Amino acid sequence: QVRLVESGGGSVQAGASLRLSCGTSIRALITYYVAWFRQAPGKNREFVASIALSGGMTDYADSMKGRFTISRDNAKNTVDLTVSSLEPEDTAVYYCAADQRRLVATGKRLGMEYWGKGTLVTVSS
């Protein structure tokens, strides 16, 4: 059974940075398309960023460009999301998802195969 486990969340002050990590039971996460999403209180889950298979092509939601960086740590078999200059509006549960398809179209990402249970990020002003 495929498991994804997010870590690295917590409570921080505005302006801080965090590095979230997506760990997995998948033997080689590098062979999966992986994305990060977030869901703020009372809002729908939204796409943050994705990274393609071993080639590593990345994509970001327009509103996330600049402060969010998605990357692979192949030695640790994880996909990480680094968020800088955190704002209270970034408060949300952050989820990672993985899919065996080489690429997942924008409109299909919420239907990705495997999901973690999320890690909470709380940003105070």
Side-chain angles (χ1 to χ4, degrees), residues 10 12 15 26 34 37 40 53-54 60 66 70 77 81 86 90 107 116-117:
V12 297
I26 297 171
V34 179
F37 298 80
L53 307 186
S54 55
Y60 295 88
I70 190 170
N77 197 34
L81 181 72
L86 280 157
D90 295 318
K117 294 183 178 180

Side-chain angles (χ1 to χ4, degrees), residues 15-125:
S17 297
L18 278 178
R19 187 177 184 92
L20 308 180
S21 186
C22 177
T24 180
S25 62
I26 297 171
R27 181 176 181 180
L29 191 58
I30 197 172
T31 64
Y32 283 68
Y33 180 94
V34 179
W36 280 93
F37 298 80
R38 71 181 186 183
Q39 188 165 14
K43 295 188 177 180
N44 294 329
R45 192 170 299 188
E46 63 176 342
F47 169 75
V48 175
S50 65
I51 188 163
L53 307 186
S54 55
M57 184 177 67
T58 58
D59 188 28
Y60 295 88
D62 287 342
S63 61
M64 312 293 177
K65 291 178 180 177
R67 296 191 299 116
F68 293 76
T69 303
I70 190 170
S71 59
R72 291 187 183 273
D73 187 330
N74 296 329
K76 295 181 179 179
N77 197 34
T78 63
V79 171
D80 300 334
L81 181 72
T82 302
V83 190
S84 61
S85 302
L86 280 157
E87 303 168 352
E89 292 74 23
D90 295 318
T91 294
V93 178
Y94 285 74
Y95 300 90
C96 67
D99 198 292
Q100 297 181 76
R101 289 172 284 182
R102 294 184 61 82
L103 190 66
V104 180
T106 300
K108 303 290 187 182
R109 286 167 175 158
L110 286 175
M112 289 176 65
E113 287 182 280
Y114 307 111
W115 289 81
K117 294 183 178 180
T119 185
L120 176 63
V121 173
T122 303
V123 184
S124 57
S125 57

